[in-house]
Amino acid sequence: MILPGSTIGILGGGQLGRMTAMAAATLGYRIHIYSPDADDPAKQVSAYSTTAAYDDEAALARFAATVDVITFEFENVPAETAEFLARLRPLRPDPAVLRITQDRLREKDFLRSIEVATTSYREVGDPAALARALRDLGVPAVLKSVRLGYDGKGQVKITSDAAVETLWAEMGGPVGILERFVDFACEISVIVARSASGGWATYVPVENQHAHHILDTTIAPARINPEVAMRAEAIARHIAEKLDLIGVLAAEMFVTPDDQLLVNELAPRPHNSGHWTIDACCTSQFEQLVRAICGLPLGSTEQHSDAVMKNLIGDDVEKWREAINEPLAKVHLYGKKEARPGRKMGHVTRLSPRR
Ligand code: AMP
């Protein structure tokens, strides 16, 4: 067990690291953030920070020497960085989890290997392979870059016979994955946690609405029937078990009109669709991550309020001025100076307490 008073190292300095640091402080841990930018949101609330590149081995070794356990707050940390650090300190979740989840193709192959349903997909290595895959899967379809895509970046929806070269260029990556478009009834996600001490916990499935490929609203709990919710939790737990996860993982799924569940994406870290847990659950996803990687017992995931979380993206951040006056709204701002379009600046969680 890594006891309160110890130092947790986090790779990445964004809002997920910031909210993890705040939860860690509640339990008496110190945080050391490692990221390439000096004014990152997480560094503003952490005792220690290192500003260096992810491939700077000397800086990584100095960082490791100051911490008791390491985790990451975004999955595009190079796997080599995680593997280097894992030789020096416990790194949780294991770098092998990162290797799988930072590559869309490896992730879907893994899901298939453990008999978790996904939409049909094909690996595409060049425009000719894309043409073949399109003949195979038909349209509509979605072409995604296998690496470094998030919030819709590197994604192209294909609805008709467009020129494959143009589609390929639009996708922009060296390798792609072509997926059959899912005409879903809704999108949900489940967050699951597993502690180094062996305990398990899941949060209720929540419903996610996207705008311009970015999460806009999360409704907790999701408006799905209880049998579908139970299946979704079981799938998330099965995935975490097969990954031998220590930490927190979000599984994003499509619910089809006939109530099938197709897993779209995994994130082995706290997730935007779990921010509502800060204000509506006994234990937030961030505290759960701290407990999990430190080997503490996990906390209760019981929900004491229904919740709707709304992201404040770009200039929408100004809406905090109205929300701050609402008695049952909790405003969270991430300390980012510049409100660029598409940038997550904060969120508001509106609560309906259960009686
Ligand atoms: P992703 O980056 O894979 O999480 O995709 C972002 C969003 O694009 C998803 O949450 C969906 O709304 C949409 N999307 C991605 N893949 C598909 C698909 N195969 N079928 C339908 N919608 C998709």
PDB file of all heavy atoms in Angstrom, residues 64-90:
ATOM      1  N   ALA A  64      11.198  10.184 -11.634  1.00  0.00           N
ATOM      2  CA  ALA A  64      10.904   8.889 -10.996  1.00  0.00           C
ATOM      3  C   ALA A  64      11.496   8.826  -9.591  1.00  0.00           C
ATOM      4  O   ALA A  64      10.876   8.271  -8.669  1.00  0.00           O
ATOM      5  CB  ALA A  64      11.434   7.749 -11.855  1.00  0.00           C
ATOM      6  N   ALA A  65      12.667   9.430  -9.421  1.00  0.00           N
ATOM      7  CA  ALA A  65      13.341   9.362  -8.120  1.00  0.00           C
ATOM      8  C   ALA A  65      12.570  10.101  -7.027  1.00  0.00           C
ATOM      9  O   ALA A  65      12.774   9.849  -5.843  1.00  0.00           O
ATOM     10  CB  ALA A  65      14.755   9.935  -8.252  1.00  0.00           C
ATOM     11  N   THR A  66      11.664  11.013  -7.430  1.00  0.00           N
ATOM     12  CA  THR A  66      10.946  11.814  -6.423  1.00  0.00           C
ATOM     13  C   THR A  66       9.551  11.273  -6.104  1.00  0.00           C
ATOM     14  O   THR A  66       8.854  11.856  -5.282  1.00  0.00           O
ATOM     15  CB  THR A  66      10.751  13.264  -6.911  1.00  0.00           C
ATOM     16  OG1 THR A  66       9.854  13.250  -8.036  1.00  0.00           O
ATOM     17  CG2 THR A  66      12.059  13.922  -7.309  1.00  0.00           C
ATOM     18  N   VAL A  67       9.120  10.205  -6.800  1.00  0.00           N
ATOM     19  CA  VAL A  67       7.733   9.753  -6.619  1.00  0.00           C
ATOM     20  C   VAL A  67       7.678   8.294  -6.154  1.00  0.00           C
ATOM     21  O   VAL A  67       8.662   7.558  -6.287  1.00  0.00           O
ATOM     22  CB  VAL A  67       6.906   9.912  -7.930  1.00  0.00           C
ATOM     23  CG1 VAL A  67       6.897  11.365  -8.391  1.00  0.00           C
ATOM     24  CG2 VAL A  67       7.422   9.007  -9.033  1.00  0.00           C
ATOM     25  N   ASP A  68       6.508   7.895  -5.617  1.00  0.00           N
ATOM     26  CA  ASP A  68       6.347   6.534  -5.113  1.00  0.00           C
ATOM     27  C   ASP A  68       5.572   5.643  -6.079  1.00  0.00           C
ATOM     28  O   ASP A  68       5.673   4.424  -6.034  1.00  0.00           O
ATOM     29  CB  ASP A  68       5.621   6.587  -3.766  1.00  0.00           C
ATOM     30  CG  ASP A  68       6.421   7.398  -2.758  1.00  0.00           C
ATOM     31  OD1 ASP A  68       7.470   6.898  -2.312  1.00  0.00           O
ATOM     32  OD2 ASP A  68       6.039   8.545  -2.464  1.00  0.00           O
ATOM     33  N   VAL A  69       4.765   6.258  -6.922  1.00  0.00           N
ATOM     34  CA  VAL A  69       3.971   5.521  -7.904  1.00  0.00           C
ATOM     35  C   VAL A  69       3.682   6.500  -9.042  1.00  0.00           C
ATOM     36  O   VAL A  69       3.677   7.721  -8.819  1.00  0.00           O
ATOM     37  CB  VAL A  69       2.660   4.972  -7.271  1.00  0.00           C
ATOM     38  CG1 VAL A  69       1.768   6.086  -6.755  1.00  0.00           C
ATOM     39  CG2 VAL A  69       1.885   4.078  -8.241  1.00  0.00           C
ATOM     40  N   ILE A  70       3.489   5.972 -10.249  1.00  0.00           N
ATOM     41  CA  ILE A  70       3.274   6.851 -11.411  1.00  0.00           C
ATOM     42  C   ILE A  70       2.001   6.419 -12.140  1.00  0.00           C
ATOM     43  O   ILE A  70       1.710   5.226 -12.262  1.00  0.00           O
ATOM     44  CB  ILE A  70       4.480   6.772 -12.379  1.00  0.00           C
ATOM     45  CG1 ILE A  70       5.776   7.179 -11.659  1.00  0.00           C
ATOM     46  CG2 ILE A  70       4.265   7.672 -13.606  1.00  0.00           C
ATOM     47  CD1 ILE A  70       7.042   6.953 -12.476  1.00  0.00           C
ATOM     48  N   THR A  71       1.253   7.410 -12.631  1.00  0.00           N
ATOM     49  CA  THR A  71       0.132   7.118 -13.511  1.00  0.00           C
ATOM     50  C   THR A  71       0.147   8.131 -14.658  1.00  0.00           C
ATOM     51  O   THR A  71       1.059   8.963 -14.748  1.00  0.00           O
ATOM     52  CB  THR A  71      -1.210   7.112 -12.735  1.00  0.00           C
ATOM     53  OG1 THR A  71      -2.239   6.574 -13.583  1.00  0.00           O
ATOM     54  CG2 THR A  71      -1.623   8.508 -12.281  1.00  0.00           C
ATOM     55  N   PHE A  72      -0.835   8.060 -15.561  1.00  0.00           N
ATOM     56  CA  PHE A  72      -0.872   8.997 -16.682  1.00  0.00           C
ATOM     57  C   PHE A  72      -2.289   9.509 -16.836  1.00  0.00           C
ATOM     58  O   PHE A  72      -3.251   8.829 -16.457  1.00  0.00           O
ATOM     59  CB  PHE A  72      -0.363   8.340 -17.974  1.00  0.00           C
ATOM     60  CG  PHE A  72      -0.922   6.976 -18.226  1.00  0.00           C
ATOM     61  CD1 PHE A  72      -2.156   6.808 -18.842  1.00  0.00           C
ATOM     62  CD2 PHE A  72      -0.224   5.838 -17.837  1.00  0.00           C
ATOM     63  CE1 PHE A  72      -2.683   5.552 -19.063  1.00  0.00           C
ATOM     64  CE2 PHE A  72      -0.757   4.558 -18.037  1.00  0.00           C
ATOM     65  CZ  PHE A  72      -1.989   4.429 -18.658  1.00  0.00           C
ATOM     66  N   GLU A  73      -2.419  10.706 -17.358  1.00  0.00           N
ATOM     67  CA  GLU A  73      -3.759  11.300 -17.479  1.00  0.00           C
ATOM     68  C   GLU A  73      -4.188  11.441 -18.931  1.00  0.00           C
ATOM     69  O   GLU A  73      -5.280  11.906 -19.201  1.00  0.00           O
ATOM     70  CB  GLU A  73      -3.828  12.633 -16.719  1.00  0.00           C
ATOM     71  CG  GLU A  73      -2.889  13.716 -17.223  1.00  0.00           C
ATOM     72  CD  GLU A  73      -3.560  14.771 -18.059  1.00  0.00           C
ATOM     73  OE1 GLU A  73      -4.578  15.309 -17.630  1.00  0.00           O
ATOM     74  OE2 GLU A  73      -3.036  15.059 -19.159  1.00  0.00           O
ATOM     75  N   PHE A  74      -3.343  11.057 -19.866  1.00  0.00           N
ATOM     76  CA  PHE A  74      -3.805  10.960 -21.252  1.00  0.00           C
ATOM     77  C   PHE A  74      -3.044   9.851 -21.953  1.00  0.00           C
ATOM     78  O   PHE A  74      -1.908   9.547 -21.592  1.00  0.00           O
ATOM     79  CB  PHE A  74      -3.711  12.315 -21.977  1.00  0.00           C
ATOM     80  CG  PHE A  74      -2.384  12.686 -22.544  1.00  0.00           C
ATOM     81  CD1 PHE A  74      -2.275  13.059 -23.875  1.00  0.00           C
ATOM     82  CD2 PHE A  74      -1.242  12.697 -21.757  1.00  0.00           C
ATOM     83  CE1 PHE A  74      -1.054  13.426 -24.405  1.00  0.00           C
ATOM     84  CE2 PHE A  74      -0.025  13.074 -22.286  1.00  0.00           C
ATOM     85  CZ  PHE A  74       0.071  13.437 -23.616  1.00  0.00           C
ATOM     86  N   GLU A  75      -3.694   9.183 -22.905  1.00  0.00           N
ATOM     87  CA  GLU A  75      -3.088   7.936 -23.371  1.00  0.00           C
ATOM     88  C   GLU A  75      -2.149   8.122 -24.548  1.00  0.00           C
ATOM     89  O   GLU A  75      -1.631   7.152 -25.064  1.00  0.00           O
ATOM     90  CB  GLU A  75      -4.141   6.861 -23.658  1.00  0.00           C
ATOM     91  CG  GLU A  75      -5.078   7.136 -24.790  1.00  0.00           C
ATOM     92  CD  GLU A  75      -6.338   7.807 -24.278  1.00  0.00           C
ATOM     93  OE1 GLU A  75      -6.227   8.612 -23.330  1.00  0.00           O
ATOM     94  OE2 GLU A  75      -7.412   7.555 -24.828  1.00  0.00           O
ATOM     95  N   ASN A  76      -1.869   9.364 -24.906  1.00  0.00           N
ATOM     96  CA  ASN A  76      -0.886   9.550 -25.964  1.00  0.00           C
ATOM     97  C   ASN A  76       0.525   9.815 -25.445  1.00  0.00           C
ATOM     98  O   ASN A  76       1.412  10.193 -26.198  1.00  0.00           O
ATOM     99  CB  ASN A  76      -1.344  10.624 -26.945  1.00  0.00           C
ATOM    100  CG  ASN A  76      -2.528  10.130 -27.762  1.00  0.00           C
ATOM    101  OD1 ASN A  76      -2.600   8.940 -28.077  1.00  0.00           O
ATOM    102  ND2 ASN A  76      -3.477  10.987 -28.053  1.00  0.00           N
ATOM    103  N   VAL A  77       0.729   9.591 -24.154  1.00  0.00           N
ATOM    104  CA  VAL A  77       2.097   9.531 -23.625  1.00  0.00           C
ATOM    105  C   VAL A  77       2.794   8.414 -24.402  1.00  0.00           C
ATOM    106  O   VAL A  77       2.234   7.318 -24.522  1.00  0.00           O
ATOM    107  CB  VAL A  77       2.072   9.145 -22.121  1.00  0.00           C
ATOM    108  CG1 VAL A  77       3.459   8.828 -21.624  1.00  0.00           C
ATOM    109  CG2 VAL A  77       1.426  10.246 -21.308  1.00  0.00           C
ATOM    110  N   PRO A  78       3.998   8.658 -24.960  1.00  0.00           N
ATOM    111  CA  PRO A  78       4.636   7.564 -25.709  1.00  0.00           C
ATOM    112  C   PRO A  78       4.796   6.317 -24.836  1.00  0.00           C
ATOM    113  O   PRO A  78       5.183   6.418 -23.670  1.00  0.00           O
ATOM    114  CB  PRO A  78       6.012   8.145 -26.073  1.00  0.00           C
ATOM    115  CG  PRO A  78       5.855   9.630 -25.973  1.00  0.00           C
ATOM    116  CD  PRO A  78       4.798   9.879 -24.937  1.00  0.00           C
ATOM    117  N   ALA A  79       4.467   5.159 -25.393  1.00  0.00           N
ATOM    118  CA  ALA A  79       4.562   3.906 -24.627  1.00  0.00           C
ATOM    119  C   ALA A  79       6.004   3.683 -24.155  1.00  0.00           C
ATOM    120  O   ALA A  79       6.229   3.125 -23.076  1.00  0.00           O
ATOM    121  CB  ALA A  79       4.078   2.740 -25.476  1.00  0.00           C
ATOM    122  N   GLU A  80       6.985   4.165 -24.947  1.00  0.00           N
ATOM    123  CA  GLU A  80       8.397   4.001 -24.557  1.00  0.00           C
ATOM    124  C   GLU A  80       8.681   4.756 -23.256  1.00  0.00           C
ATOM    125  O   GLU A  80       9.445   4.287 -22.413  1.00  0.00           O
ATOM    126  CB  GLU A  80       9.352   4.523 -25.642  1.00  0.00           C
ATOM    127  CG  GLU A  80       9.269   3.812 -26.992  1.00  0.00           C
ATOM    128  CD  GLU A  80       7.994   4.129 -27.781  1.00  0.00           C
ATOM    129  OE1 GLU A  80       7.446   5.247 -27.603  1.00  0.00           O
ATOM    130  OE2 GLU A  80       7.533   3.254 -28.537  1.00  0.00           O
ATOM    131  N   THR A  81       8.068   5.934 -23.118  1.00  0.00           N
ATOM    132  CA  THR A  81       8.239   6.725 -21.894  1.00  0.00           C
ATOM    133  C   THR A  81       7.705   5.946 -20.699  1.00  0.00           C
ATOM    134  O   THR A  81       8.344   5.846 -19.648  1.00  0.00           O
ATOM    135  CB  THR A  81       7.458   8.058 -22.024  1.00  0.00           C
ATOM    136  OG1 THR A  81       7.948   8.748 -23.160  1.00  0.00           O
ATOM    137  CG2 THR A  81       7.585   8.925 -20.792  1.00  0.00           C
ATOM    138  N   ALA A  82       6.512   5.379 -20.877  1.00  0.00           N
ATOM    139  CA  ALA A  82       5.891   4.617 -19.795  1.00  0.00           C
ATOM    140  C   ALA A  82       6.741   3.388 -19.458  1.00  0.00           C
ATOM    141  O   ALA A  82       6.945   3.058 -18.283  1.00  0.00           O
ATOM    142  CB  ALA A  82       4.477   4.205 -20.197  1.00  0.00           C
ATOM    143  N   GLU A  83       7.269   2.723 -20.491  1.00  0.00           N
ATOM    144  CA  GLU A  83       8.070   1.526 -20.240  1.00  0.00           C
ATOM    145  C   GLU A  83       9.376   1.871 -19.529  1.00  0.00           C
ATOM    146  O   GLU A  83       9.821   1.155 -18.629  1.00  0.00           O
ATOM    147  CB  GLU A  83       8.346   0.798 -21.572  1.00  0.00           C
ATOM    148  CG  GLU A  83       7.135  -0.015 -21.987  1.00  0.00           C
ATOM    149  CD  GLU A  83       7.027  -0.266 -23.488  1.00  0.00           C
ATOM    150  OE1 GLU A  83       7.968   0.099 -24.233  1.00  0.00           O
ATOM    151  OE2 GLU A  83       5.976  -0.806 -23.899  1.00  0.00           O
ATOM    152  N   PHE A  84       9.988   2.988 -19.906  1.00  0.00           N
ATOM    153  CA  PHE A  84      11.222   3.450 -19.249  1.00  0.00           C
ATOM    154  C   PHE A  84      10.947   3.692 -17.754  1.00  0.00           C
ATOM    155  O   PHE A  84      11.672   3.223 -16.884  1.00  0.00           O
ATOM    156  CB  PHE A  84      11.711   4.740 -19.933  1.00  0.00           C
ATOM    157  CG  PHE A  84      12.912   5.360 -19.292  1.00  0.00           C
ATOM    158  CD1 PHE A  84      14.189   4.900 -19.567  1.00  0.00           C
ATOM    159  CD2 PHE A  84      12.760   6.425 -18.400  1.00  0.00           C
ATOM    160  CE1 PHE A  84      15.305   5.476 -18.955  1.00  0.00           C
ATOM    161  CE2 PHE A  84      13.863   7.018 -17.790  1.00  0.00           C
ATOM    162  CZ  PHE A  84      15.138   6.534 -18.071  1.00  0.00           C
ATOM    163  N   LEU A  85       9.851   4.394 -17.468  1.00  0.00           N
ATOM    164  CA  LEU A  85       9.531   4.733 -16.080  1.00  0.00           C
ATOM    165  C   LEU A  85       9.125   3.501 -15.271  1.00  0.00           C
ATOM    166  O   LEU A  85       9.437   3.406 -14.082  1.00  0.00           O
ATOM    167  CB  LEU A  85       8.402   5.771 -16.040  1.00  0.00           C
ATOM    168  CG  LEU A  85       8.808   7.182 -16.479  1.00  0.00           C
ATOM    169  CD1 LEU A  85       7.568   8.059 -16.650  1.00  0.00           C
ATOM    170  CD2 LEU A  85       9.773   7.812 -15.472  1.00  0.00           C
ATOM    171  N   ALA A  86       8.456   2.556 -15.942  1.00  0.00           N
ATOM    172  CA  ALA A  86       7.980   1.361 -15.231  1.00  0.00           C
ATOM    173  C   ALA A  86       9.146   0.517 -14.715  1.00  0.00           C
ATOM    174  O   ALA A  86       8.979  -0.293 -13.804  1.00  0.00           O
ATOM    175  CB  ALA A  86       7.083   0.534 -16.144  1.00  0.00           C
ATOM    176  N   ARG A  87      10.348   0.717 -15.298  1.00  0.00           N
ATOM    177  CA  ARG A  87      11.517  -0.009 -14.792  1.00  0.00           C
ATOM    178  C   ARG A  87      12.040   0.632 -13.506  1.00  0.00           C
ATOM    179  O   ARG A  87      12.830   0.040 -12.786  1.00  0.00           O
ATOM    180  CB  ARG A  87      12.616  -0.051 -15.860  1.00  0.00           C
ATOM    181  CG  ARG A  87      12.247  -0.960 -17.043  1.00  0.00           C
ATOM    182  CD  ARG A  87      13.444  -1.271 -17.934  1.00  0.00           C
ATOM    183  NE  ARG A  87      13.789  -0.156 -18.807  1.00  0.00           N
ATOM    184  CZ  ARG A  87      13.217   0.062 -20.009  1.00  0.00           C
ATOM    185  NH1 ARG A  87      12.298  -0.764 -20.462  1.00  0.00           N
ATOM    186  NH2 ARG A  87      13.583   1.083 -20.739  1.00  0.00           N
ATOM    187  N   LEU A  88      11.604   1.876 -13.237  1.00  0.00           N
ATOM    188  CA  LEU A  88      12.117   2.610 -12.076  1.00  0.00           C
ATOM    189  C   LEU A  88      11.136   2.673 -10.909  1.00  0.00           C
ATOM    190  O   LEU A  88      11.536   2.728  -9.748  1.00  0.00           O
ATOM    191  CB  LEU A  88      12.484   4.046 -12.502  1.00  0.00           C
ATOM    192  CG  LEU A  88      13.486   4.164 -13.665  1.00  0.00           C
ATOM    193  CD1 LEU A  88      13.627   5.609 -14.109  1.00  0.00           C
ATOM    194  CD2 LEU A  88      14.849   3.603 -13.245  1.00  0.00           C
ATOM    195  N   ARG A  89       9.855   2.695 -11.220  1.00  0.00           N
ATOM    196  CA  ARG A  89       8.811   2.845 -10.196  1.00  0.00           C
ATOM    197  C   ARG A  89       7.557   2.094 -10.668  1.00  0.00           C
ATOM    198  O   ARG A  89       7.380   1.924 -11.879  1.00  0.00           O
ATOM    199  CB  ARG A  89       8.412   4.323 -10.031  1.00  0.00           C
ATOM    200  CG  ARG A  89       9.379   5.182  -9.239  1.00  0.00           C
ATOM    201  CD  ARG A  89       9.367   4.810  -7.755  1.00  0.00           C
ATOM    202  NE  ARG A  89      10.262   5.664  -6.978  1.00  0.00           N
ATOM    203  CZ  ARG A  89      11.558   5.428  -6.784  1.00  0.00           C
ATOM    204  NH1 ARG A  89      12.131   4.369  -7.319  1.00  0.00           N
ATOM    205  NH2 ARG A  89      12.294   6.249  -6.038  1.00  0.00           N
ATOM    206  N   PRO A  90       6.665   1.695  -9.725  1.00  0.00           N
ATOM    207  CA  PRO A  90       5.404   1.103 -10.187  1.00  0.00           C
ATOM    208  C   PRO A  90       4.659   2.096 -11.074  1.00  0.00           C
ATOM    209  O   PRO A  90       4.523   3.264 -10.702  1.00  0.00           O
ATOM    210  CB  PRO A  90       4.609   0.850  -8.899  1.00  0.00           C
ATOM    211  CG  PRO A  90       5.539   1.114  -7.761  1.00  0.00           C
ATOM    212  CD  PRO A  90       6.738   1.826  -8.279  1.00  0.00           C
TER     213      PRO A  90
END
